[in-house]
Amino acid sequence: MTITSLLYLGFFAAVALVHYALPRVVRPYFLLAANYAFYCYDVSNRPLALVLAGATLLTWVCGLVIGKSRSKVLRVVFLLLAIAGGVGILLYYKYWNLLADAVAGVTGITPYHLDLITPLGLSYFTFAALSYSIDVFKKRCKVEPNLLHYAMFVSFFPTMITGPIERYPHLRPQIKKPRRFSYTRCAGGAFRILWGYTKKMVIADNISLYTSFVYTTPDTMNGPNLLAASILFALQLYMDFSGCCDIALGVARILGYDLIENFNSPFESTSFSEFWTKWHISMTGWFRDYIYFPLGGSRCCMPRRLMNVVIVFLVSGLWHGADWRYLMWGLACGVLCAFGRLTAGVRKKIWKYNPLYWADWCRVLIQRIFVFLLFVATLVFFASALYNADPYGVYAGIFQGWQGGIAPAWDSVRTLLHDSGIDGRLPVVLTCASAIVLAAESQGRNVARWIRAQNFALRWTLYYAAAAALLFFGAFGQSAFIYQQF
């Protein structure tokens, strides 16, 4: 059941209606049943629901022992058991073949590959469950005696496909005391869903017509098209991922739950490190709290601190999949962040000698463009993993085919855009829609809250514009959510 299907909307509408018709004390249990019904809709997922239930039960029991026991040894043992269980599930379903190849490379033994179906939302629900056990151990979270309340948190269907990776201390009070029906909340949630569908289906899925066309056959493409596809892929990924997170947040809000915001205007960042505090916030926050800080964080000497940053990004690359290109993407991001931190002081001293930096607006603009281009450069590995391309061939190809200057290069890009299906009014629609989205979300603005505060004319103009764009230019059935596979 994909998040952009009418079936998903119908399922959600039915769940919301029944949810508010029930007494508030019963609602978490009904949502738990709805979560598993959502999970088991796909026939291939039904046997794998046992994996979800097993991870839930294991981390709940471990959390119970950790929270109730006074023995430090016992608490550590059960924390390690919870971590081993969660990490073990990830290793088995996502990384078995990668590990088998690695062992075979060292020992010379023929690797034994498994043809496994990865459970839906594996990376999301395992990280959510692990965070609970660790938070209970660190005494950042009270132990949850109600297994069904905890199970509802781990399997919450709006976050199962898209994230964000929730924390139990954030959702617990909302599960314990479900909210009454609120027209304002539901109206805001409905617009957030519409906004997310517009970003995903109008912008991201239409851009993917071109990026997939280029990246599936990069050897036949010239430099201008490879560069244009790489830049557009960064915009596509943002609109796709943040759009689906908007849908998840809107669905949860209508059901009475506030989820963690996952994006905060990342393209307005003025440093690469700042960018990663604003992109996929729930994941970067998870790695910060449960990997970076335990490694010593920023309390160590500079070399160790920089190494911690690189390690975190390497783990982040592995989280995305068992592919060396994701690992290289993580390594590239980690090295750039470490280099940025290492040279931050020196660069600030140099700024005062750069006349372009004397005006604040000019300095900020240059830094934002530079950060965006760094992000684009690293995403070549990411896009190559998605489309099974050779990233080094893409890097080399970008510098070829520029004979004649900018005019022939632009003609080449424009021709290929037309050939890929982006023609007619669509380029204008994509340009205007992207500009409106980025402007409306500027400075981390909550769009649903912002639009509710506007006057009647502007508010309803935006409502109708988004609905019309979705109806006339939405790429229905074009592609699945990129981050669903992670």
Side-chain angles (χ1 to χ4, degrees):
M1 191 186 303
T2 61
I3 197 170
T4 56
S5 67
L6 289 175
L7 181 62
Y8 179 87
L9 283 177
F11 173 82
F12 156 66
V15 169
L17 287 172
V18 177
H19 174 262
Y20 281 112
L22 293 172
R24 283 194 289 171
V25 69
V26 181
R27 291 175 189 173
Y29 306 109
F30 169 71
L31 282 181
L32 174 60
N35 295 339
Y36 274 84
F38 173 82
Y39 200 89
C40 294
Y41 170 78
D42 190 335
V43 176
S44 61
N45 280 330
R46 289 172 190 172
L48 300 174
L50 294 174
V51 178
L52 172 61
T56 301
L57 183 60
L58 174 65
T59 52
W60 177 76
V61 170
C62 290
L64 206 61
V65 175
I66 293 168
K68 300 294 185 181
S69 176
R70 295 183 179 181
S71 168
K72 185 176 181 180
V73 173
L74 194 63
R75 295 176 76 246
V76 171
V77 167
F78 274 85
L79 173 64
L80 293 176
L81 178 62
I83 294 174
V87 174
I89 292 171
L90 282 170
L91 290 177
Y92 180 70
Y93 281 101
K94 291 189 70 172
Y95 308 109
W96 174 275
N97 292 337
L98 181 67
L99 292 173
D101 289 337
V103 171
V106 175
T107 63
I109 301 173
T110 302
Y112 179 67
H113 285 177
L114 295 175
D115 187 17
L116 296 171
I117 299 175
T118 304
L120 178 68
L122 176 65
S123 297
Y124 294 109
F125 73 71
T126 51
F127 272 35
L130 283 174
S131 70
Y132 167 74
S133 300
I134 299 171
D135 284 344
V136 170
F137 181 82
K138 293 288 188 179
K139 298 183 179 179
R140 295 191 292 243
C141 174
K142 293 181 180 178
V143 67
E144 177 51 70
N146 189 323
L147 172 59
L148 298 183
H149 280 187
Y150 175 69
M152 183 266 171
F153 152 73
V154 175
S155 62
F156 195 35
F157 79 88
T159 65
M160 186 60 66
I161 296 177
T162 67
I165 303 170
E166 273 293 341
R167 310 285 184 92
Y168 196 55
H170 181 241
L171 275 192
R172 177 175 179 162
Q174 302 180 62
I175 296 173
K176 295 291 184 182
K177 294 183 178 179
R179 293 184 172 97
R180 297 179 184 274
F181 174 82
S182 166
Y183 171 79
T184 302
R185 285 184 59 84
C186 289
F191 176 73
R192 192 74 182 263
I193 293 171
L194 175 62
W195 188 254
Y197 276 124
T198 304
K199 290 164 67 176
K200 160 66 177 164
M201 300 178 70
V202 175
I203 303 176
D205 286 354
N206 278 306
I207 291 176
S208 73
L209 296 172
Y210 175 71
T211 56
S212 61
F213 192 66
V214 173
Y215 264 92
T216 50
T217 55
D219 295 339
T220 64
M221 299 295 163
N222 59 14
N225 278 295
L226 288 171
L227 179 60
S230 300
I231 292 172
L232 287 175
F233 179 77
L235 182 62
Q236 174 196 341
L237 186 63
Y238 173 74
M239 296 297 177
D240 186 285
F241 192 12
S242 67
C244 286
C245 285
D246 285 331
I247 297 169
L249 268 69
V251 167
R253 187 165 180 80
I254 290 176
L255 293 173
Y257 294 87
D258 293 321
L259 302 180
I260 301 170
E261 291 287 346
N262 223 14
F263 291 88
N264 182 17
S265 303
F267 294 146
E268 295 181 2
S269 304
T270 56
S271 73
F272 203 60
S273 294
E274 182 190 357
F275 179 91
W276 287 107
T277 65
K278 296 182 173 185
W279 177 282
H280 203 346
I281 296 170
S282 64
M283 185 192 73
T284 53
W286 200 99
F287 285 125
R288 179 196 64 222
D289 294 343
Y290 303 117
I291 296 181
Y292 181 69
F293 287 160
L295 287 174
S298 300
R299 302 186 304 274
C300 310
C301 61
M302 180 58 75
R304 176 73 179 276
R305 189 186 312 167
L306 299 179
M307 181 59 66
N308 292 342
V309 171
V310 175
I311 290 172
V312 165
F313 276 98
L314 282 173
V315 175
S316 175
L318 280 174
W319 179 85
H320 285 83
D323 190 304
W324 67 270
R325 288 163 290 199
Y326 288 128
L327 192 64
M328 290 302 299
W329 168 77
L331 177 63
C333 292
V335 169
L336 286 173
C337 278
F339 181 78
R341 292 190 180 191
L342 182 65
T343 61
V346 175
R347 285 184 287 111
K348 285 184 178 180
K349 292 179 181 178
I350 296 175
W351 288 353
K352 58 184 179 182
Y353 300 108
N354 185 349
L356 296 176
Y357 278 19
W358 291 348
D360 288 342
W361 68 268
C362 188
R363 173 181 59 80
V364 169
L365 178 62
I366 292 172
Q367 289 175 335
R368 287 178 178 177
I369 293 173
F370 187 68
V371 169
F372 177 76
L373 292 178
L374 286 179
F375 181 59
V376 168
T378 61
L379 278 186
V380 169
F381 286 110
F382 197 100
S384 298
L386 282 177
Y387 297 113
N388 196 28
D390 175 20
Y392 300 113
V394 174
Y395 282 123
I398 286 175
F399 296 98
Q400 300 173 5
W402 292 90
Q403 296 84 356
I406 299 298
W410 170 243
D411 288 339
S412 173
V413 172
R414 186 172 56 185
T415 300
L416 200 61
L417 281 168
H418 183 275
D419 292 344
S420 66
I422 303 179
D423 52 10
R425 296 189 182 94
L426 194 53
V428 177
V429 171
L430 292 179
T431 302
C432 294
S434 299
I436 291 170
V437 166
L438 295 176
E441 295 180 348
S442 178
Q443 300 178 356
R445 185 183 292 119
N446 184 314
V447 178
R449 190 177 302 146
W450 172 78
I451 194 64
R452 294 285 298 170
Q454 303 307 307
N455 62 59
F456 177 87
L458 177 58
R459 187 166 69 248
W460 281 95
T461 298
L462 193 54
Y463 290 165
Y464 282 117
L470 184 61
L471 180 62
F472 290 105
F473 299 101
F476 293 94
Q478 182 63 44
S479 67
F481 170 48
I482 291 176
Y483 262 69
Q484 180 174 337
Q485 63 183 296
F486 304 134

